[in-house]
Amino acid sequence: MTNKLVNTIQQFKLFKHCSGSFHQSLASQARILDLQKGKLLFIHESEAERFYIILNGWVKLFRETLDGAQAIIDILPANHIFGETAIFQDNKHSYSAEIVEQANIISLPLDLLKSEIESNPKLAISMMSSMAQCRRHQSQELENRTFKNAPQRIGCFLLRLIDPDQSGSVSIHLPYDKTLVASRLGMQPETFSRALNQLKKQINMNVNGSTLKINNVTDLINYTCSSCSSEFPCHELRS
Amino acid sequence: MTNKLVNTIQQFKLFKHCSGSFHQSLASQARILDLQKGKLLFIHESEAERFYIILNGWVKLFRETLDGAQAIIDILPANHIFGETAIFQDNKHSYSAEIVEQANIISLPLDLLKSEIESNPKLAISMMSSMAQCRRHQSQELENRTFKNAPQRIGCFLLRLIDPDQSGSVSIHLPYDKTLVASRLGMQPETFSRALNQLKKQINMNVNGSTLKINNVTDLINYTCSSCSSEFPCHELRS
């Protein structure tokens, strides 16, 4: 089991420049979690001792406002790491994390990551690259809230789900339920429904439950990216 | 001149853990820029060779959409560093930078910073802390766009300008013109004017040009922070 884990860990881009002995140490202190939808992994402001790698499933990062509304920071798919930035925030989590689709997750000790960062500048640079990517992604989200209308914001979300080399007709399956997609995009469910209908009218698209069929992906790109500072396929695209 | 510059550079939190010889090297390759309002320092996607420290004045970081609208990423005051994350983005700037109030800026070589990061993990950790802070700030901005109404978003902007220990009546001077404050908050100027009027009605506030007088800062805090995931004074507050 540990050997398989070592293999999994060393395949992660973040750990590419770390030594075999670091991969071994991480694996020996790893726990594999099998978590159901709705499970809260940690909460905002709690003491952070572990960080996490998603093997499969989806994880929602969020905060709660004083009146109980959820502000979604991100919804992460497989191969994403989370909880690691607590190192730079007095070992406190700056968000809560909840499983939104049944997930297998590797839990790893934060102190080991911290000491490796302190002695391995290549790991530090990999982490900074990933943080810079996250910053660009958030800037793009802020821009989207200002300049894209609701149908265009849905279009941008859909473009993240397709292979950028695809052309012609495409079929997209929403990765999680529509209410969650709406929250992820900072919309009320009713706004999302209306905007999806408007998008259908703008481009030739059929909606069947969670499956969307688009006749020509170029129409979606032209409609979505016309009021954006990036051109498709942009650096900021990621699920 | 170089000695004075060395002093200035070593006072920056980011460079606290760097050696005297690194401070010297930076200072010897520094240029002091005296820039007027409207000056474009660099543009989005251009090759990055320098990074910058603001000594005084204000700098706008932005991107332009295909149809010419400006998406403002941040407006930075004195003591902020910018352009440094190009290291992690193939040495290309991921935004444009323009002077919005006459500014004195130190321009420094990126390659020197990069080589120091590669050999000094403490500098790397300081940079990561600053990037994590920026990430929290952006998450807060995204949350604000979702859950705060326009007057509350203005309130949040105003709270960043006051000393958190102040109580009772406060006087706030807007740091740059109202049109720019509106853009910074992702609002049209008309929306900003209407929202400012609404805020005046919600709390006891007088507006005289760029100076705002608030009778009781607690009213502003209660009104602004009621639909937020953070309590005043929050970690995310910064100009």
Side-chain angles (χ1 to χ4, degrees):
Chain A
M1 184 59 192
T2 308
N3 273 346
K4 202 179 151 195
L5 247 179
V6 173
N7 280 339
T8 307
I9 287 169
Q10 70 192 6
Q11 277 165 24
F12 272 85
K13 199 177 155 197
L14 184 63
F15 301 130
K16 199 173 67 178
H17 297 295
C18 295
S19 64
S21 65
F22 175 69
H23 297 145
Q24 288 277 356
S25 302
L26 269 186
S28 70
Q29 294 184 56
R31 291 181 216 142
I32 307 286
L33 312 174
D34 182 2
L35 302 168
Q36 300 307 307
K37 183 174 174 173
K39 169 77 184 171
L40 206 58
L41 205 52
F42 55 78
I43 60 166
H44 181 202
E45 294 290 354
S46 62
E47 206 66 38
E49 290 173 0
R50 316 280 295 178
F51 72 103
Y52 305 88
I53 298 176
I54 308 172
L55 290 175
N56 55 58
W58 290 85
V59 177
K60 175 174 72 175
L61 311 183
F62 68 100
R63 301 205 301 185
E64 273 185 355
T65 65
L66 289 181
D67 49 14
Q70 276 195 3
I72 294 188
I73 290 167
D74 214 338
I75 295 181
L76 301 177
N79 296 323
H80 276 72
I81 293 178
F82 63 98
E84 82 288 7
T85 49
I87 292 176
F88 315 111
Q89 286 148 201
D90 303 324
N91 285 323
K92 287 207 164 36
H93 289 298
S94 61
Y95 44 74
S96 305
E98 183 187 314
I99 309 302
V100 289
E101 293 292 341
Q102 192 276 337
N104 286 101
I105 284 176
I106 313 180
S107 154
L108 296 159
L110 261 184
D111 55 356
L112 209 60
L113 179 68
K114 192 173 182 182
S115 59
E116 181 73 8
I117 290 171
E118 283 166 353
S119 61
N120 181 351
K122 284 191 174 170
L123 172 61
I125 288 173
S126 291
M127 273 201 71
M128 282 190 264
S129 300
S130 137
M131 290 168 85
Q133 161 84 17
C134 179
R135 187 169 155 176
R136 284 203 305 277
H137 179 64
Q138 283 186 316
S139 297
Q140 184 62 56
E141 284 283 332
L142 272 168
E143 181 190 314
N144 285 356
R145 301 278 171 107
T146 309
F147 291 116
K148 288 199 175 85
N149 59 31
Q152 284 173 321
R153 275 157 59 203
I154 296 178
C156 190
F157 179 82
L158 297 179
L159 286 174
R160 290 173 210 181
L161 300 171
I162 64 166
D163 173 356
D165 296 327
Q166 266 186 292
S167 60
S169 76
V170 290
S171 185
I172 299 171
H173 189 74
L174 293 179
Y176 35 82
D177 70 54
K178 283 180 188 167
T179 318
L180 205 55
V181 177
S183 308
R184 168 71 186 74
L185 296 172
M187 294 179 201
Q188 294 298 321
E190 315 81 71
T191 313
F192 179 82
S193 292
R194 275 200 306 273
L196 193 63
N197 277 328
Q198 283 172 42
L199 185 62
K200 274 167 65 180
K201 284 179 200 157
Q202 290 290 337
I203 61 169
N204 201 338
M205 180 171 80
N206 290 314
V207 180
N208 188 358
S210 288
T211 303
L212 317 178
K213 282 196 179 154
I214 295 161
N215 200 38
N216 188 349
V217 73
T218 309
D219 293 341
L220 178 64
I221 295 167
N222 289 344
Y223 176 71
T224 301
C225 308
S226 64
S227 49
C228 194
S229 67
S230 300
E231 284 179 49
F232 184 83
C234 61
H235 299 305
E236 287 73 18
L237 284 183
R238 69 179 185 110
S239 329
Chain B
M1 185 58 194
T2 308
N3 273 346
K4 200 177 153 199
L5 247 179
V6 172
N7 281 339
T8 306
I9 287 169
Q10 70 192 6
Q11 277 164 25
F12 272 86
K13 198 178 155 196
L14 185 63
F15 300 130
K16 199 173 67 179
H17 297 295
C18 296
S19 64
S21 66
F22 175 68
H23 298 145
Q24 288 276 359
S25 301
L26 268 187
S28 70
Q29 294 184 56
R31 291 179 215 142
I32 308 284
L33 312 174
D34 182 2
L35 303 168
Q36 299 309 305
K37 183 175 174 170
K39 170 77 185 171
L40 206 57
L41 205 52
F42 56 78
I43 59 166
H44 180 203
E45 293 291 353
S46 61
E47 206 65 39
E49 291 174 0
R50 315 282 294 179
F51 71 103
Y52 305 88
I53 298 176
I54 309 171
L55 291 175
N56 55 58
W58 290 85
V59 177
K60 173 173 74 175
L61 310 184
F62 68 101
R63 302 206 300 185
E64 272 185 355
T65 65
L66 288 180
D67 49 15
Q70 275 194 6
I72 295 188
I73 290 167
D74 215 337
I75 295 180
L76 300 177
N79 297 322
H80 276 73
I81 294 179
F82 63 99
E84 82 288 7
T85 49
I87 292 177
F88 315 111
Q89 287 149 199
D90 302 325
N91 284 323
K92 289 209 162 36
H93 289 297
S94 61
Y95 44 73
S96 305
E98 184 187 312
I99 309 302
V100 290
E101 292 293 339
Q102 191 276 336
N104 286 101
I105 284 175
I106 313 180
S107 152
L108 297 158
L110 260 185
D111 55 356
L112 210 59
L113 179 67
K114 192 174 183 182
S115 61
E116 181 72 8
I117 290 171
E118 284 165 352
S119 61
N120 181 350
K122 284 189 173 170
L123 172 61
I125 287 172
S126 292
M127 273 201 71
M128 282 189 265
S129 299
S130 136
M131 289 167 85
Q133 160 85 17
C134 178
R135 188 170 154 175
R136 283 203 305 277
H137 178 63
Q138 282 186 319
S139 296
Q140 184 62 56
E141 284 283 334
L142 272 168
E143 181 190 316
N144 286 356
R145 300 279 170 107
T146 308
F147 292 115
K148 288 198 175 87
N149 58 31
Q152 284 173 321
R153 275 157 57 201
I154 296 177
C156 188
F157 179 83
L158 297 179
L159 285 175
R160 290 173 210 180
L161 300 171
I162 64 166
D163 174 355
D165 296 326
Q166 266 187 293
S167 60
S169 76
V170 291
S171 185
I172 300 172
H173 189 73
L174 293 180
Y176 35 83
D177 71 52
K178 284 181 187 166
T179 318
L180 205 54
V181 177
S183 308
R184 168 72 185 74
L185 297 173
M187 294 179 201
Q188 294 298 321
E190 315 82 67
T191 313
F192 179 82
S193 293
R194 275 200 307 272
L196 193 63
N197 277 326
Q198 284 173 42
L199 185 63
K200 273 168 65 179
K201 285 179 202 160
Q202 290 290 337
I203 61 170
N204 201 337
M205 179 172 81
N206 290 314
V207 180
N208 187 358
S210 289
T211 303
L212 317 180
K213 281 194 180 155
I214 295 161
N215 201 38
N216 187 350
V217 73
T218 308
D219 293 341
L220 178 63
I221 294 168
N222 289 343
Y223 176 71
T224 301
C225 308
S226 64
S227 48
C228 195
S229 66
S230 300
E231 284 178 49
F232 184 83
C234 61
H235 299 305
E236 288 70 19
L237 284 181
R238 66 179 189 108
S239 327

